[in-house]
Amino acid sequence: MKYSIVLPFLAVTVLAVPLVERQAACNVPTTFPSTANAKLPNPFKFFSGADVKTKADFECKNKEVNAALQAQELGTFPTTAKTTATYSGGTLSISVSDNGKTASFSVSIKGASGANSPAIIAYAAPSIPVPAGVATITFNNDQIGAQQGQSSRGQGKFFDVYGSGHSAGALTAWAWGVDRVIDALEATTGHNIDPKKLGVTGCSRNGKGAFVAAALVSRIALGIPQESGSGGAACWRISDSEKAAGKNIQTSGQIIGENVWFSKNFNTFATKSTTLATDHHQLAGLVAPRGLIVIENEIDWLGPVSTTACQKAGRLIYKALGVPDNMGFTGAGSHNHCQFPSNQQADLTAFINKFLKGGSDSTANIEKGPTANVDSYIDWTAPTLT
Ligand code: MCU
């Protein structure tokens, strides 16, 4: 819309830019701060030093966090793929083209409860009980990006499309695959799944993947990462401080040698996590304000203090956005790895009911884990974003 204000000696034309357009114009940097900071980076300050004051500012902050995570840890997450799909008899067959190359894969869909059913995309196989009325979409993440140690870097359907030298680690390749599954659900009928009611889950290494998929794929309504530990719910900096205190805990320095979950870009930072521009409380921030239930376990290697304090910091981001109860974490007690314990059932059920089944269950104040003082790891307070 144009307004012309006619003054005695000149005519001034003012362009009225609609509010939404102004909010969408985020200034996303391509270089990121690398000054050592032992505290978790402030999620309410832009890298420029400016304050994040509004929810619109926070959306922009998330764009720079996403860019920094891709540059320093995850590798590039491609967003230009074209997906075609067919559905028949419980199999969704997906063909993806980009970069002049094509790859095909399929997922199985079981347990839809009639039209517009919610579903949980499960890496490999669900390690949580999927309730009646919620379908399971079984996603073979290893096929999209191999995770068989160092020699498997650059292998899988993702790399067939983008080349074996692409910067993405396996976590990013899998998230891209999840994004394509959602394209395919949107493009086909007959599967009875409502693509707006999707959760994503995986346990352990696949829990890291589920967390990253929830963060990068905004069409996911509920993230359910399970026992993701280091590389998922843990913060790199806190894990390093726990390691220094003598714990047997996985750190960034160890993880880059174990497998190809992260980009090669991460090697530069892995031995000096304090120089990362972000940490994993901001992985939760990327999921916000969508649903997120972080399921953990008190096994030393996963870093129970690290995951708990890190996700307490993550929940401060949800609080700042005015939706604290859209996120919870349940990591109290120890049990066999990836065997979902009954003492976390009520919390999981509440999140699934609220975010996938449209229920009105309370997900208030779910913060369960060992004693972990988040204030020891942060030097900022959460504002109320307007
Ligand atoms: C917790 O996830 C991983 C962990 O990062 C690895 O160090 C360990 O080797 O395997 C865990 C896992 O995926 O267990 C199934």
Side-chain angles (χ1 to χ4, degrees), residues 147 203-206 208 227-230 250 254-255 258 261 301-302 337-338:
Q147 51 170 339
C203 192
S204 205
R205 56 196 63 203
N206 292 342
K208 308 180 206 309
E227 301 187 37
S228 59
S230 174
Q250 185 168 37
Q254 188 278 344
I255 210 168
E258 184 181 335
W261 296 308
W301 187 246
L302 304 182
H337 189 41
C338 295

Short mmCIF file of all heavy atoms in Angstrom, two decimals, residues 147 203-206 208 227-230 250 254-255 258 261 301-302 337-338, ligand 1:
data_model
loop_
_atom_site.label_atom_id
_atom_site.label_comp_id
_atom_site.label_asym_id
_atom_site.label_seq_id
_atom_site.Cartn_x
_atom_site.Cartn_y
_atom_site.Cartn_z
N GLN A 147 25.54 -45.65 9.52
CA GLN A 147 26.18 -45.31 10.80
C GLN A 147 26.97 -46.54 11.27
O GLN A 147 26.73 -47.09 12.33
CB GLN A 147 25.17 -44.84 11.85
CG GLN A 147 23.97 -45.73 12.05
CD GLN A 147 23.12 -45.34 13.26
OE1 GLN A 147 23.57 -44.68 14.19
NE2 GLN A 147 21.86 -45.76 13.27
N CYS A 203 15.68 -44.32 19.62
CA CYS A 203 16.39 -44.45 20.89
C CYS A 203 17.90 -44.50 20.69
O CYS A 203 18.38 -45.06 19.71
CB CYS A 203 15.93 -45.70 21.64
SG CYS A 203 16.54 -45.68 23.34
N SER A 204 18.59 -43.89 21.66
CA SER A 204 20.04 -43.92 21.70
C SER A 204 20.62 -43.16 20.51
O SER A 204 20.25 -42.01 20.31
CB SER A 204 20.50 -45.38 21.76
OG SER A 204 21.76 -45.45 22.36
N ARG A 205 21.43 -43.81 19.67
CA ARG A 205 21.95 -43.09 18.50
C ARG A 205 20.77 -42.59 17.65
O ARG A 205 20.81 -41.51 17.08
CB ARG A 205 22.89 -43.99 17.69
CG ARG A 205 22.27 -45.29 17.27
CD ARG A 205 23.33 -46.30 16.83
NE ARG A 205 24.22 -46.65 17.93
CZ ARG A 205 25.45 -47.14 17.77
NH1 ARG A 205 25.91 -47.37 16.56
NH2 ARG A 205 26.20 -47.43 18.81
N ASN A 206 19.72 -43.40 17.57
CA ASN A 206 18.55 -42.97 16.80
C ASN A 206 17.73 -41.92 17.57
O ASN A 206 16.92 -41.21 16.97
CB ASN A 206 17.69 -44.18 16.45
CG ASN A 206 18.38 -45.09 15.45
OD1 ASN A 206 19.34 -44.66 14.78
ND2 ASN A 206 17.93 -46.32 15.35
N LYS A 208 19.29 -39.43 19.11
CA LYS A 208 19.96 -38.20 18.66
C LYS A 208 19.31 -37.78 17.34
O LYS A 208 19.03 -36.60 17.10
CB LYS A 208 21.46 -38.45 18.40
CG LYS A 208 22.23 -39.10 19.55
CD LYS A 208 23.71 -39.29 19.17
CE LYS A 208 24.41 -40.44 19.91
NZ LYS A 208 24.32 -40.51 21.33
N GLU A 227 16.58 -41.50 25.25
CA GLU A 227 17.93 -41.88 25.68
C GLU A 227 18.99 -41.49 24.64
O GLU A 227 19.86 -42.28 24.28
CB GLU A 227 17.97 -43.37 26.02
CG GLU A 227 16.97 -43.68 27.14
CD GLU A 227 17.05 -45.10 27.67
OE1 GLU A 227 18.16 -45.65 27.77
OE2 GLU A 227 15.98 -45.66 28.01
N SER A 228 18.87 -40.25 24.17
CA SER A 228 19.77 -39.75 23.12
C SER A 228 21.14 -39.40 23.68
O SER A 228 22.14 -39.46 22.98
CB SER A 228 19.14 -38.54 22.43
OG SER A 228 18.89 -37.51 23.37
N GLY A 229 21.17 -38.98 24.96
CA GLY A 229 22.44 -38.70 25.62
C GLY A 229 23.28 -37.67 24.89
O GLY A 229 22.77 -36.69 24.33
N SER A 230 24.57 -37.94 24.83
CA SER A 230 25.51 -37.05 24.16
C SER A 230 25.18 -36.95 22.68
O SER A 230 24.92 -37.96 22.03
CB SER A 230 26.91 -37.64 24.35
OG SER A 230 27.84 -36.90 23.61
N GLN A 250 30.11 -39.70 27.66
CA GLN A 250 30.50 -39.46 26.27
C GLN A 250 30.60 -37.95 26.01
O GLN A 250 29.73 -37.18 26.39
CB GLN A 250 29.44 -40.05 25.32
CG GLN A 250 29.82 -39.95 23.86
CD GLN A 250 28.93 -40.79 22.97
OE1 GLN A 250 27.75 -40.92 23.21
NE2 GLN A 250 29.52 -41.37 21.94
N GLN A 254 35.08 -37.55 22.08
CA GLN A 254 34.96 -39.00 21.84
C GLN A 254 34.06 -39.29 20.65
O GLN A 254 34.34 -40.16 19.83
CB GLN A 254 34.42 -39.68 23.11
CG GLN A 254 34.43 -41.21 23.07
CD GLN A 254 33.23 -41.81 22.32
OE1 GLN A 254 32.24 -41.14 22.08
NE2 GLN A 254 33.35 -43.07 21.95
N ILE A 255 32.95 -38.56 20.56
CA ILE A 255 31.89 -38.96 19.62
C ILE A 255 32.33 -38.89 18.16
O ILE A 255 31.93 -39.70 17.34
CB ILE A 255 30.60 -38.14 19.89
CG1 ILE A 255 29.36 -38.97 19.54
CG2 ILE A 255 30.58 -36.82 19.13
CD1 ILE A 255 28.05 -38.35 20.03
N GLU A 258 33.93 -42.05 17.22
CA GLU A 258 33.13 -43.28 17.28
C GLU A 258 32.31 -43.51 16.01
O GLU A 258 32.20 -44.64 15.54
CB GLU A 258 32.18 -43.26 18.49
CG GLU A 258 31.44 -44.59 18.59
CD GLU A 258 30.45 -44.70 19.74
OE1 GLU A 258 30.61 -44.00 20.75
OE2 GLU A 258 29.51 -45.50 19.60
N TRP A 261 27.85 -39.60 12.99
CA TRP A 261 26.58 -38.93 13.24
C TRP A 261 26.64 -37.45 12.88
O TRP A 261 25.66 -36.85 12.47
CB TRP A 261 26.19 -39.12 14.72
CG TRP A 261 25.96 -40.55 15.08
CD1 TRP A 261 25.13 -41.43 14.42
CD2 TRP A 261 26.55 -41.29 16.15
NE1 TRP A 261 25.17 -42.67 15.04
CE2 TRP A 261 26.03 -42.61 16.10
CE3 TRP A 261 27.46 -40.98 17.16
CZ2 TRP A 261 26.38 -43.61 17.02
CZ3 TRP A 261 27.82 -41.97 18.07
CH2 TRP A 261 27.29 -43.26 18.00
N TRP A 301 27.14 -42.96 30.84
CA TRP A 301 27.62 -42.65 29.49
C TRP A 301 26.72 -41.64 28.78
O TRP A 301 27.16 -40.84 27.95
CB TRP A 301 27.73 -43.96 28.68
CG TRP A 301 28.36 -43.81 27.34
CD1 TRP A 301 27.78 -44.00 26.13
CD2 TRP A 301 29.73 -43.47 27.07
NE1 TRP A 301 28.68 -43.79 25.12
CE2 TRP A 301 29.89 -43.47 25.66
CE3 TRP A 301 30.84 -43.16 27.87
CZ2 TRP A 301 31.11 -43.16 25.04
CZ3 TRP A 301 32.05 -42.86 27.25
CH2 TRP A 301 32.17 -42.87 25.86
N LEU A 302 25.40 -41.67 29.10
CA LEU A 302 24.45 -40.73 28.48
C LEU A 302 24.56 -39.34 29.09
O LEU A 302 24.09 -38.36 28.50
CB LEU A 302 23.01 -41.23 28.66
CG LEU A 302 22.67 -42.62 28.15
CD1 LEU A 302 21.20 -42.92 28.38
CD2 LEU A 302 22.99 -42.75 26.68
N HIS A 337 18.94 -49.94 28.95
CA HIS A 337 18.99 -48.96 27.87
C HIS A 337 17.91 -49.26 26.82
O HIS A 337 17.81 -50.38 26.31
CB HIS A 337 20.39 -49.04 27.25
CG HIS A 337 20.70 -47.97 26.25
ND1 HIS A 337 20.32 -46.65 26.41
CD2 HIS A 337 21.37 -48.02 25.08
CE1 HIS A 337 20.75 -45.95 25.38
NE2 HIS A 337 21.39 -46.75 24.56
N CYS A 338 17.12 -48.25 26.52
CA CYS A 338 16.06 -48.32 25.49
C CYS A 338 14.90 -49.26 25.84
O CYS A 338 14.13 -49.63 24.96
CB CYS A 338 16.64 -48.69 24.11
SG CYS A 338 17.72 -47.42 23.45
C1 MCU B 1 23.41 -43.21 23.43
O1 MCU B 1 23.69 -43.50 22.08
C2 MCU B 1 24.81 -44.26 21.67
C3 MCU B 1 26.10 -43.69 22.22
O2 MCU B 1 26.25 -42.37 21.76
C4 MCU B 1 27.28 -44.52 21.76
O3 MCU B 1 28.48 -44.07 22.34
C5 MCU B 1 27.10 -45.97 22.10
O4 MCU B 1 28.12 -46.67 21.46
O5 MCU B 1 25.88 -46.42 21.58
C6 MCU B 1 24.71 -45.76 22.02
C7 MCU B 1 23.60 -46.45 21.30
O6 MCU B 1 23.21 -46.07 20.22
O7 MCU B 1 23.17 -47.60 21.85
C8 MCU B 1 22.23 -48.38 21.17
#
